[in-house]
Amino acid sequence: MLTALIRRAIQAIFVILAMTVIVFIGINVIGNPVDILINPDLNQAERARVVEHLGLDLPLWQQYLHFLQGLLHGDFGDSFVYNRPALGVIMERFPATLELALSAMFIAIVVGLPLGLYAGLYPERLSSRLIMSGSILGFSLPTFWVGLMFILLFAVQLGWLPSNGRGETVGFLGAGWSFLTRDGLAHLFLPALNLALFKTSLVLRLTRAGVQEVLPQDFIKFARAKGLQEHRVVLVHLMKNLMIPVVTILGLEFGSLIAFSVVTESIFGWPGMGKLIIDSINLLDRPVIVAYLMMMVVLFVMLNFIIDIAYTLLDPRVRLDGGN
Amino acid sequence: MFHTVINRTIVGAAVVLLTASAMPSNAQESQALSIGMAAVVTSLDPHEDSNSPNNATSRHIFDSLIDRGGSAENNPQLATSWEIVDDTHWRFHLREGVTFHDGSSFDSEDVVASLLRARDKESQSFASYTRNIADVTADGPYTVTVETTVPDPMILNSLSRIRIISSEYEGASVADFENGTAAIGTGPFRFVSYTPGDRLELDRNEEYFAGPSEWSHVTIRMVPDNGGRLASLLAGDLDLIESLPAEGIDRVEQSDTMKIIRGQSTRLVYLGMDVMRDQTPFIKTKEGHSLDSNPLKDMRVRKALLMAINREAIVDRVMRKNGTVAHQFVADGFLGHSKKVEEISYDPEGARHLLAEAGYPDGFAMTIHGPSGRYVNDSEVLQAVGQMFSRIGIATTVEVLPWSVYSGKYANGEYSLYLASWGVNTGEVSNPALATVAGRNSETGTGRYNGGGVDVQEINEFLSKATQTLDESAREPLLQKVSDLVFNNNWLIPLHYENMVMGAHEDIEYKPRGDKYTLSYEVHRTSH
């Protein structure tokens, strides 16, 4: 387990290094951040002063070395736009995104899993067919459209829920969280539901497919023949076996929820990282882009690792260290 | 978020019952206002990063020596009066009895600290306002002398841009302002809380020298997403939004509880042309061969291009009335507007004629460039212009690029004909002219955005004279002359001024400002 962890960490470092090189070169190709960031009224001398302040006067490879040097000291550089440490700028938005992603995931699991089980166990029932047709809608309706419809219906027409923003937050573990207040929850509900729609359908369909694959297998028949109670057959023997693909997908999807929830965040004015990264790319705010992507690499590597651990728990045949 | 809940309930109830008169009449004491900004504030430190959303926001908390009115006039604020000592010295008499939000009193030390802090900040974002400040000295507790390096007629305008902070926080960092410790000004509102990228909460400053605001609490929400901003207005979460998106105009117009507030901004959208090179890279014959000469150097061709554009139609259809046809840098009423600029109207026949006269009876092929998503409907405007050029026989290809790619290239003069814009934030002609038509000079910083390479000695001379003339009545004819020279020779093709279109609840009164700032202090609620 420990060797596997170390191996993953080393892999992550290489991925991060490669990614930072690509970002540095990529941004340099797009354009010069100075042209976008600097007040157009500045004269040459003032401009030179700012360029020097931002460290953009050096050749690219030197800028990169400076960046690596800072990294060793835990310094990701200051955002060109916000003039504060890039990591800080990201981290103050991270809780909002995390909260949204977790809520969406929660909805997806709580709704998707039972419905999928039901549809898999009783595929012939009318209700199962309705559930399956419904899931097609969840798949195919574009997020931004559904989001706007939610706002129009629940906020504009009915006036039940707020249209926009994060609402009241409560400090906890050094960050502000919405789900701890009533007002915050009201703000959280629509965007989370919007984000969860696609994931719910995904979980639902995976679960149903899993049930139908596992159900005819011998060990289920054996368990039933042994006279085990139906709920034990379903909840232990069936579930354990169908969870492996579900966990894999959920893990990866959770990463993408955090990394790419930008559409939902924009529509609902949710002050998360998704919006930040798009703005940063438009403004060529390199320190923020680099720090953000590094976080994402670490996140995905960690998620994969957690998924692997989940496998070993679900399936004793799987070993992390390759069977040694 | 107690206040927003109350606010929403009140407005929500009004929407449902369609009776705006159901507003409580004793609400004077606890009026809350929620504004939806269309852009995101990047810093609460008033000297860190100069851009409209930041400067509009900082004016809520801080004051300046000079107050800039909606039509770019200079009014007293923390300075009650001023006088010119000599060409490079201005003396300001400060308002007495003003206190900061923390109770400390305002005096000349604060002015000295603030002006120098803005000048010396590493980000240099306010340099265009502070570059001529040689020194600031306190002559007494309520008198300050500002020494400029050269005679600077724009110094009052510049000082109106620099917010006065308490000298105690001279060394405060950006983070200190954003967590509120240093966000202490003399302005109409005091800092309550700030969530970057989301909202700023403010309470009324009861001690404000010009009288307390009628809003006891203000929430400035940053909602750059058009759909989200509109929905929040419709849902009653916001009372006033900037940049009402075009798709919401009908909806708001038909509503009994909401209205549209329009105003003209000082942002001019124009076309620049390569008038420098003898052969320009993006103009070819229709067969794709290069031309011996650059047609854009011929004034008749430039005029033909202007005559080919139906600007009324662009403003009406493409901009959906969110613009006003422009003929020069600034509209009537602003310093340097000239009555002698010929107003040229749409005339495709005449344009074809002029082209033939200039030796291009069959036109030529041209690629024109512009940004996308930078100005209101920028790529659509450019597409329309391209089609209009094609109609007079110029086979036009339109290419739009993201701003991050475009901005550097157009300023460096890489294109033949390009769409650009200048927000005239000083409200007078020298500011846009120095940047866009003055000869390029890296030492003085003129012509930085002169992507067409306009370099006319007469224009340069009038401009340099105007920038050294302190007396406004002597300055005006010089600037008018600049306008005449630029637009009667068609060095630029003016398209339109962008209009401001705001959405508001029926009972909100607001007069949009030329600088596009949305200032809560100037927002009023009509009484019922």
Side-chain angles (χ1 to χ4, degrees), chain A residues 67-130:
Chain A
F67 165 74
L68 288 185
Q69 229 168 34
L71 212 56
L72 289 178
H73 299 97
D75 176 12
F76 289 73
D78 283 2
S79 157
F80 295 159
V81 175
Y82 300 94
N83 299 296
R84 284 186 292 130
L87 198 62
V89 172
I90 294 174
M91 286 316 283
E92 69 196 11
R93 287 167 173 81
F94 182 69
T97 297
L98 184 69
E99 179 175 53
L100 187 61
L102 282 174
S103 311
M105 217 59 203
F106 178 75
I107 295 177
I109 294 172
V110 167
V111 177
L113 210 57
L115 286 183
L117 261 182
Y118 178 84
L121 288 171
Y122 313 104
E124 299 306 321
R125 290 192 189 171
L126 180 66
S127 45
S128 298
R129 291 185 184 185
L130 282 177

Side-chain angles (χ1 to χ4, degrees), chain B residues 95-249:
Chain B
R95 194 176 293 278
E96 298 182 24
V98 174
T99 54
F100 283 98
H101 299 155
D102 63 358
S104 61
S105 58
F106 158 78
D107 60 28
S108 52
E109 285 306 314
D110 303 310
V111 176
V112 174
S114 302
L115 299 188
L116 295 181
R117 181 176 188 266
R119 184 188 69 178
D120 298 335
K121 264 258 174 186
E122 292 276 20
S123 64
Q124 285 293 296
S125 198
F126 284 81
S128 54
Y129 307 124
T130 59
R131 68 167 68 109
N132 291 338
I133 297 179
D135 200 11
V136 185
T137 43
D139 302 338
Y142 295 105
T143 320
V144 165
T145 300
V146 174
E147 186 192 344
T148 58
T149 49
V150 290
D152 182 3
M154 297 308 294
I155 193 73
L156 294 180
N157 169 70
S158 297
L159 291 177
S160 79
R161 303 294 172 148
I162 305 171
R163 310 285 175 247
I164 304 299
I165 63 167
S166 165
S167 57
E168 199 185 321
Y169 299 108
E170 195 179 352
S173 67
V174 173
D176 291 334
F177 281 89
E178 301 195 341
N179 65 29
T181 30
I184 297 192
T186 56
F189 297 95
R190 51 174 79 230
F191 176 97
V192 176
S193 71
Y194 173 58
T195 315
D198 181 37
R199 69 180 64 211
L200 174 68
E201 303 275 357
L202 301 164
D203 269 343
R204 171 165 64 200
N205 172 13
E206 305 287 351
E207 315 293 322
Y208 191 50
F209 74 85
S213 162
E214 65 178 88
W215 306 104
S216 59
H217 189 96
V218 170
T219 307
I220 299 178
R221 293 282 323 272
M222 303 154 215
V223 197
D225 183 71
N226 279 339
R229 201 165 58 251
L230 175 63
S232 297
L233 175 75
L234 295 176
D237 293 346
L238 296 173
D239 301 313
L240 177 67
I241 64 169
E242 297 179 352
S243 307
L244 179 69
E247 55 269 31
I249 287 179

Side-chain angles (χ1 to χ4, degrees), chain A residues 151-173:
Chain A
I151 292 177
L152 271 182
L153 183 65
F154 293 107
V156 179
Q157 295 297 337
L158 301 171
W160 291 348
L161 292 166
S163 61
N164 201 300
R166 210 180 159 197
E168 196 177 354
T169 55
V170 169
F172 177 61
L173 294 177

Side-chain angles (χ1 to χ4, degrees), chain B residues 34-65:
Chain B
S34 302
I35 292 178
M37 279 175 90
V40 173
V41 171
T42 58
S43 181
L44 274 197
D45 181 336
H47 304 141
E48 180 64 35
D49 189 9
S50 173
N51 59 44
S52 306
N54 285 4
N55 295 346
T57 307
S58 68
R59 258 191 72 161
H60 283 81
I61 304 173
F62 303 94
D63 287 325
S64 298
L65 285 182

